[in-house]
Amino acid sequence: NRRRFDDMLDHEWRRAQRSNAPLALILLDIDYFKKYNDHYGHPAGDTCLQGVGGVLAASLNRTGDLPARYGGEEFAIILPATDLQGALAVAERMRQDILGLCIAHVESPFENVTASLGVASFEPGGKESLSTADLVMRADMQLYQAKAAGRNRVSGAAFRATGADADAGTNSGESQAAQ
C-alpha cells in the first residue's frame, strides 16, 4: 500500500506539472491512537483502523483519488486536480465522518475516535526544484498545526511553484479557504 502511494504520488506530481493543474495531499492522524490501543487492545485498534479506512474510501468519489495507510495510525490521501478549497472540503467531510462512526474512546477528551488532518495543495508554475517531498513536508506541517491547535481539526495551506504559501489556518468545524 505504501509503495503504491509513493508511485502514485510521483505519477500525479509529474502529471500536475505537465497539465499545470493543482495536486493536493491530506495527511490524517487518528487522535490519541496509542492510548486507544493501550486501553482497548490491538484487535480493537485494528478494527478502528479498518473503520477509518472505510470512511476514507467512501469519502472519495473520483477514481484518481487514492487513500493509503501511511504508517501506524496515519493515512495519506492523494487528490489530483484539486485545489486547496476542494481538498479542505474533502478533509472536513472525512473528519466529520470519522467522528460520526461514534467509536468510543474514553482516553480521548472528545470521548470518541477523532482525527487531525493536514492539507497541502501544490499549484505548479515552473519551479523545478520542488518535489513530492515538499508536498509531504507541507502536509505534515499542517497536520502538526492541527494537532497543536487541539486535535480533531483540519489545517491547510497551498503552495505555489514560486515557493509562496497561502495559509488556510486551522479549524474544528468548517474548513477555511486560503485568502
Side-chain angles (χ1 to χ4, degrees), residues 55-131:
V55 161
L56 301 183
S59 296
L60 301 173
N61 302 321
R62 303 177 309 172
T63 56
D65 296 343
L66 177 73
R69 181 96 173 267
Y70 196 65
E73 68 274 11
E74 199 166 66
F75 293 85
I77 301 95
I78 301 171
L79 300 171
T82 306
D83 64 9
L84 181 62
Q85 271 189 299
L88 286 170
V90 170
E92 179 59 24
R93 184 172 62 244
M94 289 175 171
R95 188 192 69 77
Q96 290 178 9
D97 289 350
I98 290 166
L99 190 58
L101 290 172
C102 296
I103 300 173
H105 188 347
V106 298
E107 298 293 325
S108 166
F110 303 105
E111 299 179 355
N112 283 303
V113 168
T114 59
S116 297
L117 298 90
V119 180
S121 178
F122 167 69
E123 300 172 11
K127 188 174 180 182
E128 297 301 323
S129 63
L130 294 174
S131 69

Side-chain angles (χ1 to χ4, degrees), residues 8-179:
M8 286 302 296
L9 184 58
D10 185 59
H11 172 78
E12 292 300 340
W13 179 267
R14 286 184 274 117
R15 185 194 330 224
Q17 289 182 317
R18 277 193 315 271
S19 63
N20 202 32
L23 173 64
L25 177 67
I26 300 171
L27 291 182
L28 179 152
D29 190 71
I30 300 173
D31 296 326
Y32 307 105
F33 189 71
K34 182 181 181 331
K35 289 182 177 184
Y36 185 91
N37 258 350
D38 290 347
H39 183 83
Y40 295 101
H42 291 281
D46 291 343
T47 300
C48 175
L49 289 171
Q50 290 170 353
V52 169
V55 161
L56 301 183
S59 296
L60 301 173
N61 302 321
R62 303 177 309 172
T63 56
D65 296 343
L66 177 73
R69 181 96 173 267
Y70 196 65
E73 68 274 11
E74 199 166 66
F75 293 85
I77 301 95
I78 301 171
L79 300 171
T82 306
D83 64 9
L84 181 62
Q85 271 189 299
L88 286 170
V90 170
E92 179 59 24
R93 184 172 62 244
M94 289 175 171
R95 188 192 69 77
Q96 290 178 9
D97 289 350
I98 290 166
L99 190 58
L101 290 172
C102 296
I103 300 173
H105 188 347
V106 298
E107 298 293 325
S108 166
F110 303 105
E111 299 179 355
N112 283 303
V113 168
T114 59
S116 297
L117 298 90
V119 180
S121 178
F122 167 69
E123 300 172 11
K127 188 174 180 182
E128 297 301 323
S129 63
L130 294 174
S131 69
T132 57
D134 294 299
L135 182 62
V136 172
M137 178 192 70
R138 283 173 166 86
D140 194 51
M141 287 173 24
Q142 293 302 314
L143 175 59
Y144 177 80
Q145 283 192 330
K147 289 174 148 190
R151 301 183 191 236
N152 189 28
R153 296 175 189 276
V154 171
S155 178
F159 71 101
R160 293 164 186 78
T162 61
D165 286 358
D167 187 12
T170 61
N171 64 71
S172 61
E174 60 185 57
S175 297
Q176 300 170 357
Q179 301 298 321

